[in-house]
Amino acid sequence: MAVSSIPARPEDPTARPVRAPRRQRGEGQWALGHREPLNANERIKKDDDPLNVRARIENIYAHRGFASIDPQDLRGRFRWWGLYTQRKAGIDGGRTAVLEPHELEDEFFMLRVRVDGGQLNLAQLRVVADISREFARDTADITDRQNIQYHWIRVEDMPEIWRRLESVGLQTTEACGDCPRIVLGSPVAGVARDELLDPTPAIDEIVRRYVGDREFSNLPRKFKSSISWLVDTPYEANDIAFLGVEHPEHGPGFDLWVGGGLSTNPMLAKRLGVWVPLPEVPDVWAGVVGVFRDYGYRRLRNRARLKFLVADWGVTTFREVLEKEYLGRALLDGPAADLPAKPVDHIGVHPQRDGRHYVGAAPVVGRVSGSQLGRLADVVEAHGSDRVRLTPYQKLLVLDVPPERTDSLVEGLRGIGLEARPSAWRRGTMACTGIEYCKLAIVETKVRGEDLVARLEQRLRDFDADISIHLNGCPNACARTQVADIGLKGQLVVGPDGQQVEGFQVHLGGGLGMAQGRTAGFGRKLRGLKVTAAELPEYVERLARRYLAGRNEGETFANWVIRVDEEELR
């Protein structure tokens, strides 16, 4: 609509015309009647529910091959079944933003397997391992979303892969796409001594009711969830999070948080100030997803996450809409959760409530293989366990170990490259997929992370503090760059010879509110602080030594970063 002009009043010949206020452009919110798709992604979803693409994969594409795949399915709807095309080998980071998708992509796929709550039994673990070896060139990374992620998958093999996964109760349904992604959960749900309520039944009910259901198969963007009694998931970085809390009158339940998300415009989730009993968690979860579906911004993809709606509305309006329009009742006010004395990652040997123990072990930056997972299944079975858990920090746990078998298990895990007594560096370092397979990446991450850990273990073997290092191959923060002690965002930087090389912008002192005295916030970005990939190990070592030399007693790395002069951080 054109902007109208109102003429000046005749008695004031010097006055300028007054401009009428510009009409606010619609944001594509369904609840306000804006149903017509406003971008190509929304058009693809309206033209055909993405869940329907599985039938075409099984009946057409698996028989006719990659060249037969419709581009809208390939780069759009395939994601609802966990499939992304992977990056073609040999394309450097400088061309990531220049090439068209068909120029970047190979004829193979990354495939994500949902492991909601991180829970795997031995039969499932063996199937995951077998698929890796037979169909994925032995790739199988543990992600920070508690997924298993394969590479080198062919569309021709998908019907058989689905058959095997589903035979043991696993699925790839909505592992990606504009839909409810995997539900994070505590890897020690049901066995932790400090847990008053096991939220696993709520997670299972959400997955049973809503994953793969068309009610929520067309959201404005992805939707990430976390449900845990313990403070052991990154709850403030999710669209919705339920955190265990005791109500003074009603007993154990959950504190509700909404609107978290990182990427290029990071925001932390906000407390709604309500108390939710366990049986009501699935309905409240569905209510929040409904608000997002109907009021979320669909015009611009970079504003389509729930966090932007929560930021614009505020928690008071969000709670009011949730209660009146989606739940039909008021929620009870509730207290904030108690935080542990220090962050929890479950690495090492710990007692369960039933007298048995669980053992948490660390691969390096989440990189494992099908062969390694197969050997893990053998080790676990030999020690009398049937349960393995994945964590949101690219680690894994073995549950139900008899106390007298824990030392043997620790040694058995070490023998296959999984360390239950890791260095601070292995324990605290994560990395996203990086340029090896990801079409969005600019730099290598997994190999850089492995090399960095090896260098720091050699040079600072007895380092006695916890420092988290998160390497990300692009600005999208899949490895939660902004909330690490040392966050490394991949980009091209100018090297010593004046040429562009792989490197990282450095974020320092970020973190989440995972323990008492820990204030959630994003890492400090110093002007011009960038390092080349080659300089990275030396820089991190120098920074760690300065921290050790200059910290006060009990001072965390994040607090030290805030306190010291900028030159100490370069």
Side-chain angles (χ1 to χ4, degrees), residues 209-284:
R209 265 200 240 171
Y210 300 112
V211 171
D213 190 291
R214 296 174 195 276
E215 181 177 358
F216 295 140
S217 64
N218 183 356
L219 303 179
R221 282 291 300 274
K222 64 183 115 176
F223 188 85
K224 297 183 176 182
S225 308
S226 172
I227 306 175
S228 176
W229 175 268
L230 301 177
V231 187
D232 58 356
T233 69
Y235 63 96
E236 292 162 300
N238 284 266
D239 295 279
I240 187 171
F242 293 86
L243 194 61
V245 66
E246 284 197 80
H247 192 285
E249 297 176 24
H250 303 287
F254 293 88
D255 189 26
L256 176 59
W257 295 65
V258 295
L262 301 178
S263 192
T264 54
N265 197 332
M267 300 183 194
L268 296 172
K270 298 175 176 61
R271 286 189 65 237
L272 280 196
V274 302
W275 176 85
V276 183
L278 179 61
E280 296 180 14
V281 167
D283 288 339
V284 173

Side-chain angles (χ1 to χ4, degrees), residues 5 84 94 110 121-122 142 148 166 214 221 236 252 284 299 361-362 385 409 423 484 490 499 517 531:
S5 241
Y84 282 94
M110 177 195 79
N121 60 40
L122 276 186
I142 301 171
I148 289 290
E166 290 165 4
R214 296 174 195 276
R221 282 291 300 274
E236 292 162 300
V284 173
R299 181 170 67 88
S385 172
L409 177 61
S423 68
Q499 300 297 310
V531 297

Side-chain angles (χ1 to χ4, degrees), residues 321-398:
V321 172
L322 173 65
E323 291 175 333
K324 291 182 176 179
E325 296 186 27
Y326 292 84
L327 299 178
R329 58 182 173 81
L331 294 166
L332 291 172
D333 292 340
D338 292 330
L339 299 178
K342 63 180 184 177
V344 177
D345 69 1
H346 302 300
I347 298 300
V349 179
H350 303 272
Q352 297 178 180
R353 65 171 57 171
D354 61 2
R356 293 179 291 182
H357 287 67
Y358 67 86
V359 179
V364 182
V365 297
R367 175 132 289 179
V368 293
S369 67
S371 297
Q372 189 177 26
L373 293 179
R375 292 193 295 272
L376 171 64
D378 293 338
V379 170
V380 171
E381 185 174 29
H383 287 81
S385 172
D386 183 51
R387 297 198 289 176
V388 170
R389 297 289 183 263
L390 309 181
T391 85
Y393 304 96
Q394 300 181 339
K395 311 299 190 292
L396 60 86
L397 277 59
V398 180

Side-chain angles (χ1 to χ4, degrees), residues 487-561:
L488 300 164
K489 183 177 76 175
Q491 59 184 223
L492 297 180
V493 303
V494 178
D497 61 357
Q499 300 297 310
Q500 284 194 326
V501 296
E502 289 190 6
F504 299 91
Q505 182 187 58
V506 180
H507 301 239
L508 295 174
L512 297 173
M514 304 293 288
Q516 298 171 20
R518 302 288 180 107
T519 302
F522 303 123
R524 179 180 176 185
K525 290 186 289 186
L526 277 62
R527 185 181 298 276
L529 181 51
K530 300 174 183 180
V531 297
T532 68
E535 296 167 339
L536 180 61
E538 180 182 346
Y539 170 73
V540 176
E541 180 186 345
R542 180 169 70 246
L543 196 63
R545 289 188 184 279
R546 287 176 177 174
Y547 165 60
L548 289 178
R551 63 182 173 176
N552 295 324
E553 185 176 355
E555 186 174 34
T556 65
F557 181 84
N559 288 339
W560 176 79
V561 165

